[in-house]
Amino acid sequence: MTVTRNHTPEADIGIEDPPSDPRSGTERRTGGPGSGADRGGGVRRTGGPGSVEDRPDLGGEDCGPEFARLFDTYAASLHRYLARRVGVEQAHDLVSETFLAAFRQRHRYDPAEAAIRAWLYGIATNLARHHVRQEIRGLRATARSDGRTGAWQPPHDGQVADRVDAQAMAQQLAPAIADLSDGDRDVLFLISWAQLTTVEVADALGIPVGTVRSRLHRIRRQLRTSAAIHNTLTTEATPHD
């Protein structure tokens, strides 16, 4: 049986339906009533590794074992996310820098404010911003590619390949993504490549959930416009019998 996949700009880049989050109907927690601190000691880890409820206490004197666990749990996914943004080799260094920065800033982490995954991705995203020119150069190179040779295809495993159609991205989405603001591009990649929820993205970037949603709406509109223009130009350039 052949399954036909409907291609839309949102589906190609993986932002058609962001991962669900049980808190998606609320704004960022600020530590007040209803926050993680208001759940009967919920600042400790109450979910499995990688869960939105993974909220370790990093304030203890001996947090070495906890950081070893965090590295084992999140390093690989952080590397995949960063490799798509800045390249594989640079990603190796940025993963190490992410955990080093996290260790140095461990006393600033508040488990009542954010799950550890969102906090780590926030640090990684801030570090990746220093390489934004490299990222944009890669996207613009993709935009100039004819889709047959030299097309930039983000490194990905089978799971991510289901979410990101690199060929469609190369032909349609790269120019629009390169033109996004840094903040919009962060939101796009945290959702499409890191697969964070809108609430986790808000926690990672330190912005309200409503802002994340408005950025997603703007991104979708820009991608649709870019895809429509691309399809129109392609149709006009195609010889007709």
Side-chain angles (χ1 to χ4, degrees), residues 114 118-119 121-123 125-126 190 196 199-207:
W119 189 64
Y121 272 98
I123 294 173
T125 298
N126 284 332
L190 283 170
L196 267 61
V199 172
E200 287 179 301
V201 173
D203 289 338
L205 300 180
I207 58 178

Side-chain angles (χ1 to χ4, degrees), residues 10-214:
E10 294 92 333
D12 282 334
I13 195 59
I15 60 170
E16 192 168 30
D17 292 300
S20 61
D21 189 292
R23 298 179 291 123
S24 59
T26 61
E27 294 293 309
R28 294 183 69 235
R29 292 189 315 280
T30 57
S35 73
D38 193 42
R39 290 193 240 167
V43 297
R44 296 293 299 180
R45 210 164 54 243
T46 58
S51 164
V52 294
E53 295 304 324
D54 188 359
R55 300 165 182 271
D57 181 1
L58 302 181
E61 294 184 1
D62 183 16
C63 57
E66 187 61 46
F67 267 91
R69 181 192 71 83
L70 293 178
F71 186 88
D72 290 342
T73 302
Y74 299 104
S77 59
L78 282 167
H79 185 272
R80 286 192 295 271
Y81 164 69
L82 291 167
R84 291 166 179 78
R85 299 202 63 167
V86 300
V88 174
E89 293 303 319
Q90 190 65 55
H92 292 319
D93 294 334
L94 290 185
V95 169
S96 297
E97 291 179 31
T98 295
F99 281 96
L100 180 59
F103 183 78
R104 289 173 174 169
Q105 301 171 25
R106 62 190 182 280
H107 296 296
R108 296 170 56 184
Y109 170 67
D110 183 354
E113 287 292 315
I116 193 68
R117 181 170 78 153
W119 189 64
L120 289 172
Y121 272 98
I123 294 173
T125 298
N126 284 332
L127 292 171
R129 286 193 188 122
H130 295 298
H131 303 274
V132 66
R133 290 182 181 177
Q134 176 181 344
E135 180 174 72
I136 292 177
R137 279 198 300 269
L139 288 166
R140 296 205 182 281
T142 300
R144 293 191 297 269
S145 171
D146 63 4
R148 294 190 299 270
T149 60
W152 174 71
Q153 295 192 11
H156 54 259
D157 55 22
Q159 181 179 8
V160 176
D162 290 338
R163 293 179 57 84
V164 179
D165 186 321
Q167 184 67 17
M169 183 177 180
Q171 295 182 341
Q172 297 184 12
L173 304 182
I177 293 172
D179 289 336
L180 292 175
S181 68
D182 293 348
D184 284 358
R185 201 160 47 248
D186 287 342
V187 168
L188 171 63
F189 289 152
L190 283 170
I191 285 177
S192 66
W193 287 345
Q195 300 184 37
L196 267 61
T197 67
T198 52
V199 172
E200 287 179 301
V201 173
D203 289 338
L205 300 180
I207 58 178
V209 175
T211 300
V212 174
R213 292 179 183 138
S214 65

